Amino acid sequence: EWTRLSHLVDKIAQLPGDFRVRLSSIEATEVTRELIDAMADNVDKVCPHLHISMQSGSDAVLRRMRRRWGSRRYIDRCELVKERLDRPAITTDIIVGFPGETDAEFAETVAVARAVGFSKVHIFPFSPRRGTPAATMPNQVPAQTRDERASELAAVEAELRDAYFHGLRGRRLRVLVESKAEGGSRKGEGRTIHNASFPVPASTFPLWLGTSCRYAPVELAANFSDVGRLVEVIAADVRNGCIVAA
């Protein structure tokens, strides 16, 4: 009987075919040892990436949001993921400027983001929505302050993202080829497509963009026939927030 997310993930991974499964938008309470084991036991089919909603790194703000986790529990779950999986990507959502958020509480959020080492953060300045409890809470944070905090967190996110991407250099990544890069091509003497290496004369390949198993955008040389397929590349460099394949 399939009673848990981990059971479902394991069953899906057993299906035949060349595909991959990516888990996203789950809460910290759903990141169990069983789920992590299911991911680790099926590395060929399940992406080493989790999008775990955090919302805030301040326990006081989380209580006002009525979330079911605290910052320490969140960090602990992320550490379990890192211990069991090979260089996993962890992404999240963060709301800045929630009613009553102080400078110190925002600083706690930044500290937790650094402690986890997110590879991507979806940042949302708080926006009051009529009819919700938060809309009438006292100590609403001014719009300018919300925007300033969003900008500061975006700078931190870019730093963490680049650090994570640089840590993937030299690693083999499985990439889903998706779209053509604008105005790009490069020369190559040989490359591997679909695990079949072949020589290439001094000619050019168009550059394409894809998404790696670790949810990192990748620029790679490919052919039109590769679109919609999973190909293996080696991460060589990082440029403009994107991994460049060898």
Side-chain angles (χ1 to χ4, degrees):
E1 184 180 359
W2 302 357
T3 59
R4 297 182 183 275
L5 178 59
S6 58
H7 299 158
L8 180 59
V9 169
D10 190 63
K11 291 293 184 181
I12 291 175
Q14 302 309 313
L15 296 174
D18 187 22
F19 66 89
R20 68 185 186 189
V21 178
R22 186 185 304 281
L23 295 177
S24 65
S25 298
I26 63 177
E27 295 186 355
T29 53
E30 298 174 291
V31 183
T32 62
R33 291 182 183 274
E34 292 78 15
L35 176 61
I36 298 171
D37 287 344
M39 296 176 68
D41 292 342
N42 297 284
V43 293
D44 292 337
K45 292 290 183 66
V46 184
C47 295
H49 164 229
L50 283 173
H51 185 86
I52 311 171
S53 181
M54 185 174 83
Q55 304 298 332
S56 175
S58 165
D59 289 344
V61 174
L62 289 170
R63 285 193 295 270
R64 293 199 293 274
M65 291 180 172
R66 299 180 182 177
R67 303 301 180 189
R68 297 182 297 162
W69 59 85
S71 60
R72 185 66 260 171
R73 185 180 189 183
Y74 186 95
I75 293 173
D76 288 345
R77 293 300 170 95
C78 292
E79 288 301 322
L80 284 176
V81 174
K82 293 179 184 179
E83 289 171 7
R84 192 74 170 85
L85 303 181
D86 177 29
R87 195 66 179 151
I90 300 177
T91 59
T92 197
D93 305 312
I94 294 178
I95 297 174
V96 297
F98 191 79
E101 184 185 64
T102 64
D103 289 342
E105 289 168 345
F106 172 69
E108 290 173 347
T109 293
V110 173
V112 173
R114 290 189 180 281
V116 173
F118 293 117
S119 61
K120 185 175 181 60
V121 179
H122 295 285
I123 303 168
F124 301 95
F126 174 77
S127 178
R129 187 179 304 170
R130 186 163 51 181
T132 62
T136 57
M137 283 182 175
N139 302 317
Q140 296 281 325
V141 178
Q144 181 178 345
T145 302
R146 296 198 300 264
D147 291 343
E148 290 172 352
R149 290 176 182 172
S151 296
E152 181 178 341
L153 186 58
V156 172
E157 187 242 5
E159 175 189 333
L160 297 176
R161 177 199 64 211
D162 284 356
Y164 177 76
F165 286 1
H166 276 92
L168 296 177
R169 287 185 300 180
R171 288 176 177 259
R172 185 175 296 275
L173 300 176
R174 207 167 187 220
V175 178
L176 177 65
V177 183
E178 296 168 308
S179 61
K180 198 169 183 179
E182 293 186 8
S185 65
R186 67 174 179 230
K187 291 188 176 182
E189 298 177 352
R191 66 178 299 265
T192 301
I193 297 181
H194 310 318
N195 301 315
S197 184
F198 59 90
V200 176
S203 59
T204 62
F205 287 105
L207 290 180
W208 293 78
L209 297 175
T211 303
S212 76
C213 49
R214 290 174 172 81
Y215 202 59
V218 177
E219 179 188 273
L220 69 159
N223 294 314
F224 182 77
S225 59
D226 292 318
V227 177
R229 295 182 178 180
L230 293 168
V231 302
E232 288 194 351
V233 301
I234 301 296
D237 201 359
V238 179
R239 184 168 58 235
N240 299 325
C242 181
I243 290 177
V244 178

